[in-house]
Amino acid sequence: MDMETGLTHTSTTTVTEKDLAANIGSGDLNVWGTPAMTALMENAAMLAVASRLPEGSTTVGGYISTSHIRPTGPGKTVSATAVLLKEEGRKLTFSVSAQDEAGLIGEGEHIRFIIDRKKFMDRL
């Protein structure tokens, strides 16, 4: 596969009650939970390369390392951006970041692997 570095996607959502740390179980405050931030980062990475994959393929997350440096409350708009840094066979490495209206709230590195959907699901 020959993915071009620099492929980018930004996913955006609004923080809802289900996304709050107190409701996810990752904390006890009514702020955007780190698991919700991480999921949005993964979504951005998945979508950054989705249109370039062979038919029958998708990507799955294999590793993510992030900081979550500032809280965001309910009703705020948040976005996550993923940028493809390198491709090593089936392994894709992304830079990821999240932001709200006030600026950066988290950043890190995410690795995804290109897989065949059917073969992967047959392993269940």
Side-chain angles (χ1 to χ4, degrees), residues 3-67:
M3 296 268 179
E4 63 188 71
T5 58
L7 289 173
T8 303
H9 184 81
T10 299
S11 296
T12 302
T13 192
T14 300
V15 178
T16 64
E17 289 294 316
K18 70 176 179 45
D19 302 318
L20 302 180
N23 295 330
I24 293 174
S26 64
D28 60 5
L29 298 174
N30 288 325
V31 295
W32 196 37
T34 302
M37 181 188 73
T38 302
L40 195 63
M41 289 173 164
E42 286 200 66
N43 179 263
M46 175 190 71
L47 293 174
V49 297
S51 68
R52 306 291 179 101
L53 297 172
E55 189 168 332
S57 296
T58 189
T59 60
V60 293
Y63 170 84
I64 192 161
S65 173
T66 65
S67 63

Side-chain angles (χ1 to χ4, degrees), residues 102-121:
L104 185 70
I105 56 176
E107 60 188 343
E109 179 183 80
H110 180 39
I111 295 172
R112 296 188 73 78
F113 292 92
I114 300 169
I115 55 103
D116 178 274
R117 288 174 183 272
K118 181 172 178 355
K119 287 180 184 174
F120 188 84
M121 294 306 290

Side-chain angles (χ1 to χ4, degrees), residues 43-102:
N43 179 263
M46 175 190 71
L47 293 174
V49 297
S51 68
R52 306 291 179 101
L53 297 172
E55 189 168 332
S57 296
T58 189
T59 60
V60 293
Y63 170 84
I64 192 161
S65 173
T66 65
S67 63
H68 194 168
I69 57 177
R70 198 169 44 72
T72 303
K76 298 291 186 180
T77 299
V78 290
S79 61
T81 300
V83 179
L84 180 63
L85 299 178
K86 65 181 167 181
E87 173 198 5
E88 299 168 282
R90 297 183 320 109
K91 180 181 175 184
L92 305 173
T93 303
F94 297 85
S95 168
V96 290
S97 62
Q99 41 287 325
D100 64 13
E101 293 103 337

